[in-house]
Amino acid sequence: MAERKKPTRPKSHPPRTGGKKGAVKGARKATAHSLPTRDEILAFIRESPQPVGKREIARAFRLKGSDKIPLKAMLKELAAEGLMERQPKRKVAAAGALPAVAVIEVSGLDEDGELLARPAVWDSAEAPPTIYLAPDKRSRAALAPGDRVLAKLQRIDSHTYEARTIRRIAKVERRILGIYEVGDAGGRLRPTDKRARDDFILRSEHAAGAEPGELVLAEVRPAAPRVGLREVRVLERLGPVGAARGLSLIAIHEHELPVDFRPEAVAEAEAAGPMPLGARTDLRTLPLVTIDGADARDFDDAVWAEADTDKRNSGGWHIMVAIADVAAYVRPGSALDRDAFDRGNSAYFPDRVVPMLPEALSNGWCSLRPDEDRPCLVAEMWLDAEGSLRKHRFHRALMRSTARLTYEQVQAAHDGQPEPLTAPLRESVLAPLYGAFGALLTAREKRGTLDLDLPERRVVLADDGTVAAIEARDRLDSHRLIEEFMITANVAAAERLEALRQPCMYRVHDQPDPVKIEALRQILDEFGIRLAKGQVIRPRILTQVLHKARQLPAARMVNQLVLRAQSQAVYSPANIGHFGLALARYAHFTSPIRRYADLLVHRALIRGLGLGKDGLSPEAEGRFAEIGEHISATERRAATAERDAVDRFTAAFLQGKVGTIFAGAVNGVTRFGLFVTLDDSGADGLVPMSLLPDDFYDHVEAEHALIGRRWGRVYRLGERVSVRLREAEPLTGGLILELIEGDDQAGAKSDGREPRRPGRPRQTAGKKTGKKHPPKKKPPGKRRRPRSSGGRKS
């Protein structure tokens, strides 16, 4: 079914349903004792944002007492014909309309960061209506896909609603992570889960000696009463809530990441040992090196390169990518395999890793440690002078890593500042690697890949576990070198499996959303950047757009819109290519320690090449589509948990900076406020509508902007702003920001573009001109700052 285009907020006022001046705009001016037609009544009901009663209809059409009897008969007739539906409290609504209060289920985020939901119960064969759910001001992640809430609904049009949460509908949990607190009512456990509605009773005899303020893991007691708060008992004390260990555990628990391995899996891992050479190729004298981050603990790939000696391939390269042979230790159907499948991938946090495999393997026998023999699966490849893949072969081998290097060490050596470890390797090992990298870059540029600016932040912890700094991750050529070697090996694996007619778990990335591309095209037109309507969109075209936009004040907005137009990469046995990398076929082969998809590719290669009895099983082959969906879901789960943990660490770092003014950029524009990314830390925070300068604001989806109706202020995606930090809550990772104007600004500026407002003079974005316009009545969905201020935002 085609995706429904996101509707534009209606500009007209809703039908009035009360007050002395209650006539609906556009309705027939009825005289006394004249009935409206059936069509007029139906139009009034359809346009009403909420169910209406006979009294509201009579008032809108100025009907007197005697006319209400035939009106009642007409309403009964319309209901009998299915043209409208009865609602609670003697109200009626258009056929198919949702009730004013309903249970809805969160389904995800749209491109502007707004929460989307759908009715919890929907039996129709047609697509359910789109519901925009006002977020919890504490955090964008307060509600997650799958959560259910009881919400008050307001109808925007025939297929669109706004919703505001009345209360969350809690899941039945047996284990609770929370903060132990003691007050006048006794001990309480306050859950860390942002979705939890109630506290729990925690009596001192069940607290396991925990001190108030500690983070504890507890379980619901079976004897809990059927009414009132439930009781819990502590299973494990985890220390002060502000400790780094606690912040990571909150994210792990909230997203239900598997932590404990089956005892059988642990036993299998601990029973593992060295692999004999046997039929493997002996590569122990080849100077393969691992290049990873300074804080990496599992080394699953090693690289080597030399100039190709084949005279028919002048200027070409011979390279190897050796990957830990995880399949040799994790056999199909074993306890290790079942646990690896359940996890799908490893999850990485600032202070810990939740691994896909037990430590005895992930940091032991499957880690390519220097000067230790390790089994590996090798992709041996030959490149021409322009980096194109000429041929390749795969074989099992036994290797011995020459050195464990970091990205920084390798880059420094290449730049002429080697350390004692890298100096002997500079010419013989590192120089050929950079030579092959140069050829691979040529091939990448020729393909025309999508190059987005996606800065990453890194949490730096002090020795005591507190957050010392939030830093931007450096992007060195050494990072890109390893990335290009891995991409080439991944392509070779996909090509070889296709040639062998073996199943392949592809990494696929679909074409961008046409609706979002059209919205991008319209915005680019205003800046003189042409994106022809209807043309086939290729990665190279979008990269060219990004390059042209770099000199514009709105460069951030263009980058955000291109990013949001992209589909999400997933795993699938059905190949549709990889749009972002501009590749016809692509699979993940290079990280079987931390990704189950790579392990499947290894097993398929082993079976197809006859390299052993530990290849892909027929049972797994029959479930490839199901497995692809599962590991795509576990990847999203881990990524969300990692992001939430970084948000919590960042909030802990900023907690002592409440009141400070920061420069940032708008990264999300919603009906309920602005999301702003701070320059210094990369942290995301919410500016609720109540903390915007006083005005009536239109949310203009087509322009990704909030536009003040009275003073003409404009806040647009990508716009530079200054904000004051109002609240930072490590428990949830939420930041509340307040927009700053005038002399207090920290460098905010306009994007240089004016909104398209018919009948309204152009004004400077984010500023007011001083010329007043009379306030207009508030149409549906418009928000204005409340008159009262202060107090804690909910």
Side-chain angles (χ1 to χ4, degrees):
M1 183 174 293
E3 183 176 339
R4 183 177 298 273
K5 185 176 180 180
K6 184 175 179 180
T8 301
R9 299 278 294 182
K11 300 298 181 185
S12 60
H13 292 279
R16 302 252 332 206
T17 58
K20 294 181 179 180
K21 300 179 181 179
V24 63
K25 183 180 180 180
R28 172 174 58 84
K29 292 185 178 181
T31 58
H33 307 294
S34 64
L35 284 174
T37 66
R38 287 162 48 101
D39 290 341
E40 288 173 331
I41 291 178
L42 284 174
F44 175 79
I45 294 172
R46 290 192 190 102
E47 291 172 5
S48 176
Q50 295 176 341
V52 295
K54 184 178 67 174
R55 178 179 299 176
E56 286 89 350
I57 298 173
R59 182 181 295 121
F61 289 96
R62 299 173 183 165
L63 300 181
K64 302 302 181 181
S66 59
D67 290 323
K68 293 180 181 179
I69 297 175
L71 173 63
K72 182 177 180 181
M74 188 180 296
L75 293 175
K76 186 174 181 180
E77 182 180 305
L78 292 171
E81 294 176 12
L83 298 176
M84 68 179 199
E85 295 176 351
R86 299 286 185 184
Q87 300 283 331
K89 299 182 179 180
R90 297 185 178 181
K91 304 281 186 178
V92 294
L98 298 179
V101 176
V103 176
I104 60 176
E105 181 175 305
V106 178
S107 57
L109 294 171
D110 75 352
E111 68 273 14
D112 288 326
E114 292 198 62
L115 282 169
L116 297 176
R118 53 168 289 159
V121 178
W122 185 257
D123 299 325
S124 173
E126 296 185 3
T130 299
I131 303 174
Y132 293 99
L133 180 59
D136 186 332
K137 295 178 183 178
R138 313 297 307 169
S139 168
R140 185 194 303 244
L143 290 170
D147 290 344
R148 292 188 172 192
V149 299
L150 182 67
K152 183 176 182 180
L153 303 180
Q154 182 175 4
R155 195 161 176 256
I156 303 304
D157 60 34
S158 61
H159 211 79
T160 311
Y161 292 80
E162 275 189 1
R164 291 190 174 275
T165 300
I166 297 174
R167 63 178 176 85
R168 295 177 177 86
I169 298 176
K171 297 179 181 178
V172 178
E173 298 282 358
R174 298 305 304 172
R175 288 195 167 196
I176 310 295
L177 191 69
I179 312 300
Y180 178 41
E181 298 176 343
V182 177
D184 294 339
R188 292 288 186 270
L189 184 70
R190 179 161 59 95
T192 59
D193 190 338
K194 300 182 284 276
R195 296 161 289 184
R197 198 184 85 193
D198 297 319
D199 292 344
F200 294 83
I201 296 173
L202 178 52
R203 303 186 189 280
S204 58
E205 59 267 28
H206 298 138
E211 298 291 333
E214 279 192 21
L215 183 70
V216 299
L217 181 64
E219 68 174 357
V220 178
R221 296 187 63 212
R226 299 182 65 180
V227 295
L229 299 179
R230 292 178 292 173
E231 291 192 26
V232 295
R233 71 179 184 88
V234 172
L235 297 175
E236 185 179 359
R237 296 172 58 187
L238 302 172
V241 66
R245 182 169 181 247
L247 297 177
S248 289
L249 284 174
I250 291 172
I252 291 168
H253 178 82
E254 183 174 301
H255 294 282
E256 301 176 348
L257 297 185
V259 176
D260 299 323
F261 289 96
R262 292 177 173 88
E264 301 90 342
V266 175
E268 290 174 7
E270 292 178 347
M275 287 284 172
L277 178 62
R280 294 173 180 271
T281 304
D282 193 346
L283 296 179
R284 286 176 288 184
T285 60
L286 193 72
L288 286 152
V289 294
T290 62
I291 305 175
D292 295 277
D295 55 352
R297 293 188 288 273
D298 50 1
F299 316 121
D300 52 7
D301 58 82
V303 293
W304 170 86
E306 68 172 359
D308 193 356
T309 57
D310 188 346
K311 294 181 180 180
R312 295 169 298 179
N313 188 29
S314 177
W317 297 92
H318 175 208
I319 69 174
M320 287 193 194
V321 175
I323 305 300
D325 193 352
V326 175
Y329 293 100
V330 181
R331 302 299 180 100
S334 65
L336 278 170
D337 186 45
R338 293 196 300 273
D339 271 350
F341 172 79
D342 289 345
R343 284 162 166 73
N345 45 263
S346 298
Y348 295 85
F349 300 93
D351 64 323
R352 74 187 64 230
V353 176
V354 178
M356 188 179 81
L357 300 173
E359 188 174 352
L361 291 182
S362 60
N363 292 353
W365 294 110
C366 292
S367 186
L368 305 181
R369 295 174 175 176
D371 301 321
E372 296 183 18
D373 290 358
R374 288 291 185 268
C376 58
L377 185 59
V378 179
E380 188 172 5
M381 297 163 285
W382 287 264
L383 313 172
D384 65 20
E386 293 186 343
S388 296
L389 191 59
R390 296 187 71 216
K391 61 179 180 177
H392 49 74
R393 69 187 183 103
F394 289 82
H395 49 95
R396 281 180 138 168
L398 196 67
M399 65 162 283
R400 178 184 285 258
S401 173
T402 296
R404 178 269 196 265
L405 305 177
T406 68
Y407 293 113
E408 291 76 14
Q409 288 174 323
V410 170
Q411 190 63 49
H414 178 68
D415 293 341
Q417 298 175 326
E419 299 178 3
L421 177 62
T422 56
L425 305 174
R426 186 183 176 200
E427 295 301 326
S428 60
V429 175
L430 300 183
L433 289 175
Y434 273 91
F437 167 55
L440 290 171
L441 275 186
T442 299
R444 182 186 182 99
E445 291 169 2
K446 185 177 180 180
R447 283 200 320 270
T449 60
L450 176 60
D451 296 324
L452 285 165
D453 180 18
L454 301 174
E456 294 184 37
R457 50 184 165 144
R458 182 172 72 96
V459 177
V460 180
L461 298 179
D463 292 338
D464 61 358
T466 58
V467 182
I470 308 291
E471 299 176 344
R473 287 189 182 273
D474 292 330
R475 178 72 168 163
L476 306 173
D477 277 349
S478 53
H479 288 95
R480 301 179 68 195
L481 183 156
I482 291 300
E483 180 180 290
E484 291 303 320
F485 270 64
M486 298 304 114
I487 288 173
T488 306
N490 288 337
V491 171
E495 288 183 353
R496 182 46 54 108
L497 287 176
E498 288 185 359
L500 293 169
R501 298 185 180 277
Q502 290 293 315
C504 179
M505 186 60 74
Y506 294 98
R507 179 66 166 179
V508 298
H509 183 216
D510 205 353
Q511 298 279 328
D513 184 335
V515 173
K516 297 175 184 176
I517 289 293
E518 174 58 22
L520 173 64
R521 186 190 65 78
Q522 293 177 9
I523 287 179
L524 291 175
D525 279 348
E526 298 186 26
F527 296 107
I529 300 177
R530 180 169 173 74
L531 188 63
K533 190 170 185 178
Q535 76 176 109
V536 176
I537 298 298
R538 303 190 187 282
R540 183 191 305 277
I541 293 173
L542 295 181
T543 297
Q544 290 170 351
V545 165
L546 293 171
H547 287 165
K548 292 177 182 177
R550 280 180 181 172
Q551 305 306 317
L552 296 175
R556 286 173 178 260
M557 179 176 69
V558 173
N559 192 80
Q560 286 280 340
L561 293 176
V562 171
L563 173 63
R564 293 175 184 184
Q566 303 308 307
S567 302
Q568 186 168 37
V570 297
Y571 294 106
S572 172
N575 183 30
I576 59 172
H578 195 291
F579 177 83
L581 293 174
L583 292 168
R585 57 193 57 82
Y586 189 67
H588 275 166
F589 161 79
T590 55
S591 297
I593 287 179
R594 61 185 179 90
R595 291 190 304 231
Y596 195 78
D598 303 54
L599 179 56
L600 293 173
V601 170
H602 278 226
R603 288 173 176 171
L605 286 167
I606 291 167
R607 188 178 81 173
L609 295 168
L611 299 178
K613 297 181 179 179
D614 46 1
L616 189 68
S617 68
E619 186 271 338
E621 180 180 359
R623 297 175 51 237
F624 243 40
E626 175 190 339
I627 293 173
E629 292 178 359
H630 169 74
I631 58 181
S632 296
T634 59
E635 178 189 40
R636 291 192 295 270
R637 176 182 66 183
T640 304
E642 291 166 354
R643 186 170 58 249
D644 284 358
V646 170
D647 287 345
R648 287 185 168 93
F649 278 91
T650 304
F653 177 68
L654 293 175
Q655 196 171 30
K657 302 179 185 295
V658 170
T660 303
I661 295 176
F662 297 94
V666 177
N667 77 0
V669 181
T670 76
R671 291 167 169 76
F672 311 104
L674 304 172
F675 287 106
V676 174
T677 299
L678 306 184
D679 291 347
D680 293 344
S681 62
D684 291 330
L686 173 66
V687 182
M689 197 72 77
S690 59
L691 293 181
L692 290 176
D694 193 15
D695 207 337
F696 294 91
Y697 288 94
D698 291 328
H699 178 218
V700 184
E701 286 94 343
E703 298 188 21
H704 300 272
L706 290 178
I707 301 176
R709 300 186 66 201
R710 184 172 186 178
W711 300 109
R713 295 180 178 91
V714 180
Y715 302 105
R716 196 188 311 279
L717 183 69
E719 184 178 335
R720 304 289 302 157
V721 294
S722 286
V723 292
R724 177 180 286 112
L725 179 62
R726 289 280 296 260
E727 299 177 26
E729 177 52 77
L731 195 62
T732 64
L735 302 179
I736 297 296
L737 307 172
E738 178 184 7
L739 207 64
I740 300 299
E741 288 193 315
D743 295 337
D744 290 336
Q745 285 197 6
K749 60 182 180 180
S750 164
D751 70 356
R753 186 168 72 108
E754 296 298 337
R756 292 172 295 178
R757 301 283 313 280
R760 180 66 59 87
R762 299 286 187 180
Q763 299 183 8
T764 304
K767 300 180 183 294
K768 59 183 181 180
T769 64
K771 181 180 179 180
K772 295 186 179 182
H773 297 274
K776 297 183 179 180
K777 295 177 182 177
K778 182 180 176 184
K782 304 300 185 288
R783 302 287 184 266
R784 73 179 300 240
R785 182 177 177 180
R787 290 300 179 189
S788 61
S789 61
R792 193 174 182 85
K793 301 297 176 185
S794 60

